[in-house]
Amino acid sequence: MDFELKRELKELLAGERGYYRYPMGTRTPFALVYPNSYFVGMSNLGLHIIYELLNMRDDVACERVFLPERKEIKRYENTRTPLMSIENQTPLYEFSVIGFVLSFEMDYFNVLQMLELGKVKVKAADRGERDPLVIAGGPCATFNPEPLAGVIDAFIIGEGEVVMPALMDAWNEAKRQGMSRADMLRFIANVPGVYVPALYEHRYDDKGRLAAIEPLDGAPAKVTRQWVQDLDAHPAHTVVITDNTEFNFYLIETARGCGRHCRFCMAGYCFRRPRNRSLGVITREVKEALQYNKRIGLMGAAISDYPEINDLCKEILGEGLSMSVASFRADSVTQDLVDSLAQSGLKTLTMAPEAGSRRMRAVINKGIEEEHLFNAMEMGIDAGIRNFRLYIMIGLPFEQEEDIEAIIDLANRLKDYMEEKGAKGTLTLSVNPFIPKPFTPFQWKPMADRKYVEQAFKHMMQSLRKRKNIIVNVESPKEAYVQGVLARGDRRVADALLLAHELGGSKAFKRALKECGLSMDEYLYRERDEAELFPWEQLDMGFTREYLYEELEKADAQKPTIPCFDGCHRCGVCG
């Protein structure tokens, strides 16, 4: 045991306010695990929500566990010290339930590493009666749990505020009845929104493609996504206060879900319907934040879509606080919002057209036109903001070479406009390879060939580098294509993940796929037939695949889909 590691965790806890800490043995120990660093994880609002939700019960002691920094991992390994929690420095293997928060596919490799560091059996099939129940939730778990099916015992499908109380009640009942581990898994599988992969058999045809998903005895035919109907009943804000975070804000969620129907956006489909918190609830949370004197970070799919955003801005600034936003849309942003951000010290205004040409924005149903970008830029300049950022994707379905040229042209014209208005700052393009995600209309489409994407990146950088104060930042294509496999993969990918872990981690993933008899190209570059069965189709998001396929056909025809509205029943989510 490395007692210095224990001391460092105690020091980390001493720098926090708002944490829960219960005496050992008085409640069911639950480890809430974020498979990345403390610095990153403590900026995840979902972690704060579930942490408070569980600790407000009278039967659960929830403690947080994070991936140690690289040098600390070596110390854990060299001293054989098990990975420990922040609150009581409890070894991971001593918890009854271990719950992972899955926000990013590349963190899957960290999940396996953390289980091993915590002395917990990595393979779900190897765990016995005395081993912890290992569960996972978050966006990645909801969209496609299959690549971790061999590791995780049960997945939370949907929003945790609805599922977790019922799951913990069921787990307690199973323990009270003295159920075996196998019986307990069958029992919790009947909690709405809980998916136990071991209770479903996946069969493949002679081409190695998924042919059927069959529930075993005691498993529901479908697992239906659960979601919060009334957000006001579940206020969502920062719970544990620390300065040691990626975004040193007091986070408050204004809304959840999005009804804009952007065809590339997994969150837009899987977090429907769009729901707003009342202004009264949010302003009460703002007042509670006063004691911490932190900048307010407003969270939501598009903060500018919040119907009372101007009043909210006035409330925050009127309390003497500053603010930031997770995102806004150029077609709904207001001058009051931009002015409030500028008064709060914002130096760079970010817009997300996603594509450079009007044709491609019609394909993805973005709803942003050039006039919206120029208007938002003018608002920013009028407010004193001098730097701007654009989010762009390369390799979208139906993309052509002229669409790449349109990105370059748009960047030049926006920079011209900045200079014309006297803004001598920087225009930054953040460019990412597009990954077709589950439960979107583009789930049938392949990823663009990696060479095409790399050539497009190179052409953009060469075309714009001569222009002063334009910066092009690109995501690593290598990592993006690994993400593509993990986002779209079936449960056979879990075997490759496990092998890659044994071989050293993410860098060995391509080799592990090959040794498992799997082809990266099969997952990435093959267009799916309309009737093909997807690995995630045992999950029900509330809409049909026919609805998604109609949206794909509309994308090909560049036809728009209007946003959600009251009384709408097009997709089926609203009943």
Side-chain angles (χ1 to χ4, degrees), residues 195-357:
Y195 169 58
V196 178
L199 299 181
Y200 296 82
E201 182 180 344
H202 286 214
R203 292 194 293 103
Y204 299 86
D205 61 22
D206 54 6
K207 293 182 179 179
R209 294 174 185 169
L210 187 61
I213 301 174
E214 297 178 353
L216 304 179
D217 289 344
K222 288 271 190 178
V223 178
T224 303
R225 174 186 67 101
Q226 304 297 299
W227 50 285
V228 175
Q229 305 278 337
D230 178 13
L231 284 189
D232 280 354
H234 299 276
H237 54 80
T238 295
V239 174
V240 180
I241 308 298
T242 176
D243 293 333
N244 186 18
T245 64
E246 185 176 17
F247 306 113
N248 192 13
F249 303 147
Y250 187 92
L251 303 175
I252 297 175
E253 187 182 54
T254 61
R256 193 174 294 183
C258 181
R260 291 287 194 156
H261 296 247
C262 297
R263 295 180 178 123
F264 62 88
C265 183
M266 194 163 56
Y269 285 90
C270 291
F271 291 146
R272 285 188 189 165
R273 66 181 252 179
R275 293 146 286 160
N276 293 309
R277 282 193 169 81
S278 66
L279 182 62
V281 167
I282 297 174
T283 53
R284 283 199 295 273
E285 292 181 288
V286 170
K287 292 182 189 302
E288 290 173 9
L290 282 170
Q291 59 186 306
Y292 304 115
N293 196 31
K294 283 184 175 288
R295 179 180 292 188
I296 300 297
L298 298 179
M299 306 297 291
I303 301 301
S304 53
D305 281 353
Y306 184 68
E308 297 174 280
I309 186 59
N310 291 341
D311 291 337
L312 180 54
C313 291
K314 291 173 184 175
E315 178 70 28
I316 293 170
L317 269 63
E319 294 288 356
L321 297 171
S322 59
M323 59 178 284
S324 181
V325 299
S327 63
F328 70 81
R329 283 183 59 99
D331 60 344
S332 62
V333 68
T334 66
Q335 189 67 58
D336 281 354
L337 174 57
V338 175
D339 288 344
S340 299
L341 294 171
Q343 290 177 47
S344 298
L346 184 75
K347 303 298 183 186
T348 301
L349 197 67
T350 299
M351 301 178 286
E354 315 295 357
S357 68

Side-chain angles (χ1 to χ4, degrees), residues 71 83 104 325 327 370 408 445 448 517 541 548:
K71 61 181 180 180
L83 188 62
F104 306 103
V325 299
S327 63
E370 287 190 7
I408 298 167
K445 305 300 287 184
M541 294 295 132
L548 291 179

Side-chain angles (χ1 to χ4, degrees), residues 473-501:
N473 293 328
V474 300
E475 182 188 347
S476 163
K478 181 178 181 181
E479 186 171 295
Y481 283 80
V482 171
Q483 287 182 46
V485 176
L486 296 176
R488 297 156 61 83
D490 53 37
R491 61 175 49 184
R492 295 173 299 181
V493 171
D495 294 330
L497 263 177
L498 289 161
L499 180 57
H501 172 68

